[in-house]
């Protein structure tokens, strides 16, 4: 039977993506489903292999009802996620706008902001944190900071304290986002700005009416990237807690798998809520 040209193109396409499909099934889908299976089991690693006993939702009940460290780490992670992601997105956008101007040594500044992405591994940041390099020292003693703290509510105080203690780390997380915003800025047609200027729009109005709507898809992309990057950071205490329980004789792989799925669902929920709200707001505002 002679194949049509459309059928041939389809087979060629499947042949090109077949390595990815095979790798996804063997290296991602199967381990993912197997970890879900282990999360409902009491797992014991013996000399004869892995032995499992079905315990239902017992591992999940222990995670929320007994393991106070895990719930504490989760709450801290959610709080830091809510505070850090908007700061990283706003800072990245500001730096990208500055680097998009006609300034000297533009390539050098791009390298400087992207350099932490390459060198800021877990052990490096951990060592810098222990030396106090990632925070602003003794800022609580400044009169201006104390005046702001006494005149604001508790949420703002928490936000300011977290920002000052983690300012350098947060800025280091912005390298990839800056490049994404910068690439999107360079794709905006300059004639749109010229037309807006002719109509009497100021630079501030051009930003809100031209630049930001054009960058909105990249804002969504950077939000997704930032949440995922923040979630899998090497010094994340939630991940450390999961790994410690994985090799603990009293808990083991079953309980660690349950913790991993709880953490995964929280990240998926954070992505769904943030992207859903941004998409809904963007569709109304920029429609």
């Amino acid at each position: 039977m002679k194949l049509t040209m459309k059928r041939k193109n389809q087979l060629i396409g499947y042949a090109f993506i077949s390595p990815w499909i095979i790798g996804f099934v063997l290296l991602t889908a199967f381990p993912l489903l197997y970890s879900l299976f282990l999360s409902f089991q009491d797992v014991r690693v013996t000399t004869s292999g892995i032995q499992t006993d079905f315990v239902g939702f017992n591992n999940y009940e222990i995670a929320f009802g007994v393991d106070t460290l895990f719930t504490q780490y989760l709450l801290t992670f959610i709080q830091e996620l809510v505070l850090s992601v908007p700061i990283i997105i706003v800072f990245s956008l500001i730096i990208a706008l500055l680097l998009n101007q006609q300034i000297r040594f533009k390539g050098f500044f791009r390298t400087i902001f992207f350099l932490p992405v390459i060198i800021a591994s877990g052990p490096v940041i951990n060592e810098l944190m222990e030396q106090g390099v990632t925070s602003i020292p003794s800022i609580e003693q400044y009169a201006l900071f104390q005046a702001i703290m006494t005149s604001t509510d508790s949420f703002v105080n928490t936000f300011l304290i977290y920002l000052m203690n983690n300012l350098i780390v947060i800025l280091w997380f912005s390298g990839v986002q800056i490049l994404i915003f910068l690439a999107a800025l360079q794709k905006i047609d300059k004639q749109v700005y010229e037309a807006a200027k002719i109509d009497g729009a100021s630079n501030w109005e051009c930003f809100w009416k031209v630049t930001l709507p054009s960058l909105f898809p990249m804002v969504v992309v950077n939000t997704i990237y930032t949440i995922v990057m923040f979630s899998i950071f090497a010094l994340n205490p939630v991940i450390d807690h999961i790994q410690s329980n994985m090799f603990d004789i009293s808990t083991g792989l079953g309980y660690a798998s349950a913790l991993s799925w709880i953490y995964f669902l929280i990240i998926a929920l954070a992505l769904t809520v943030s992207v859903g709200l941004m998409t809904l707001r963007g569709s109304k505002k920029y429609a």
Side-chain angles (χ1 to χ4, degrees):
M1 182 178 179
K2 189 175 181 180
L3 297 176
T4 62
M5 182 61 66
K6 181 178 180 180
R7 185 61 177 171
K8 288 182 179 179
N9 292 334
Q10 290 177 345
L11 292 176
I12 293 174
Y14 286 128
F16 273 107
I17 67 174
S18 59
W20 180 87
I21 295 176
I22 296 173
F24 176 80
V25 171
L26 296 180
L27 303 178
T28 302
F30 175 73
L32 192 67
L33 296 176
Y34 187 60
S35 68
L36 180 61
F37 166 77
L38 292 180
S39 67
F40 298 100
Q41 310 291 325
D42 180 20
V43 182
R44 299 183 306 277
V45 180
T46 64
T47 56
S48 59
I50 297 178
Q51 298 181 358
T52 59
D53 293 324
F54 181 75
V55 293
F57 289 93
N58 185 57
N59 289 327
Y60 294 91
E61 293 175 356
I62 295 174
F64 288 108
V66 179
D67 194 349
T68 56
L69 280 178
F70 180 66
T71 55
Q72 179 182 350
Y73 289 151
L74 277 181
L75 293 175
T76 303
F77 165 75
I78 294 173
Q79 181 183 9
E80 292 180 352
L81 190 69
V82 172
L83 294 175
S84 299
V85 172
I87 297 174
I88 293 174
I89 298 299
V90 172
F91 174 78
S92 303
L93 179 57
I94 293 174
I95 297 301
L97 290 171
L98 294 176
L99 292 179
N100 195 45
Q101 305 299 318
Q102 297 298 326
I103 58 176
R104 298 181 62 183
F105 308 110
K106 185 187 301 185
F108 172 75
F109 290 119
R110 292 177 186 175
T111 305
I112 291 298
F113 282 107
F114 190 76
L115 192 61
V117 178
I118 303 174
I119 65 174
S121 60
V124 173
I125 292 184
N126 188 31
E127 183 65 26
L128 292 175
M129 285 181 175
E130 291 180 355
Q131 296 181 9
V133 179
T134 58
S135 62
I136 300 178
S138 304
I139 191 171
E140 295 86 357
Q141 301 177 4
Y142 295 147
L144 178 61
F145 184 82
Q146 293 178 357
I148 295 175
M149 294 292 290
T150 55
S151 61
T152 55
D153 55 17
S154 59
F155 175 78
V156 177
N157 293 344
T158 303
F159 175 80
L160 291 176
I161 293 174
Y162 176 78
L163 178 62
M164 294 301 103
N165 291 335
N166 301 272
L167 181 61
I168 307 301
V169 176
I170 291 174
L171 301 185
W172 280 359
F173 280 154
S174 306
V176 175
Q177 294 88 328
I178 292 173
L179 292 183
I180 293 175
F181 278 136
L182 190 59
L185 285 170
Q186 294 175 351
K187 293 296 183 180
I188 301 177
D189 192 355
K190 302 299 182 183
Q191 294 180 356
V192 179
Y193 291 104
E194 295 176 359
K197 292 288 186 180
I198 293 174
D199 291 337
S202 63
N203 292 333
W204 183 251
E205 291 173 333
C206 286
F207 171 77
W208 287 104
K209 300 297 183 180
V210 178
T211 305
L212 195 58
S214 302
L215 292 179
F216 182 75
M218 295 301 102
V219 173
V220 177
V221 171
N222 277 335
T223 301
I224 296 174
Y225 174 81
T226 305
I227 293 175
V228 174
M229 176 194 64
F230 200 83
S231 303
I232 63 175
F233 183 50
L235 299 181
N236 191 330
V238 179
I239 296 178
D240 290 338
H241 187 68
I242 294 173
Q243 292 176 346
S244 63
N245 280 277
M246 184 187 304
F247 301 104
D248 193 339
I249 299 177
S250 60
T251 53
L253 291 173
Y255 183 65
S257 299
L259 296 182
S260 300
W261 273 95
I262 293 172
Y263 187 49
F264 167 76
L265 293 176
I266 290 176
I267 297 173
L269 180 62
L271 288 171
T272 303
V273 171
S274 59
V275 175
L277 291 177
M278 292 178 62
T279 304
L280 181 63
R281 181 176 177 82
S283 61
K284 291 181 179 180
K285 188 173 182 179
Y286 304 128

